[in-house]
Amino acid sequence: MRRTAAGYFVIAAALATACLAQGAFAGSDGETPAKVPAHVEKTFLIPSSDGYGVGDCLTTPGSECGQVVANAWCEAQGYAAANTFGIAAADEYTGAIEQPVSTPSERPIRITCRD
C-alpha cells in the first residue's frame, strides 16, 4: 500500500487541527507556557457597630475567636481565608479629609482576605 505526499499532508493537517481543537498547546503561540493567575487579596472595612457583636472579637489583640470570625467573613465573601484583621488605621478609610482621630471603638474593622 503506497501513500502519496498529498496523503501524508492530509493526515498531518488533520492531526494538527485535532491538537489545536483540544488545546494541546499551552500558550497562544504554542511555545510559551500558560500564565498562572496572580495571588488575589481584598481588604474589607466593616463598621465596628455592625450589630453582630463581633467587634470585640476582631479588635482585641490575641483573641482566639478573632481568626475564626475573620475566616468566616472571608469565606462568606468567596475567599479562602483571612490574612490579617484588626482596627483600621485612619489612612485606610479617610485620607483626603483632615479629621480628629476617632476613638478605637468608632473606627471600622479591617479584614484582609486571600484566595
Side-chain angles (χ1 to χ4, degrees), residues 16-96:
T17 304
C19 287
L20 286 174
Q22 293 178 354
F25 298 111
S28 61
D29 62 358
E31 294 179 11
T32 3
K35 293 184 180 180
V36 177
H39 179 69
V40 178
E41 278 190 350
K42 185 170 183 178
T43 300
F44 295 93
L45 295 177
I46 306 162
S48 57
S49 59
D50 64 356
Y52 292 107
V54 296
D56 293 337
C57 200
L58 290 169
T59 58
T60 305
S63 70
E64 293 181 17
C65 66
Q67 188 68 45
V68 173
V69 171
N71 284 341
W73 174 268
C74 291
E75 289 172 11
Q77 304 304 316
Y79 290 88
N83 267 356
T84 61
F85 60 92
I87 298 174
D91 63 347
E92 289 180 311
Y93 61 92
T94 179

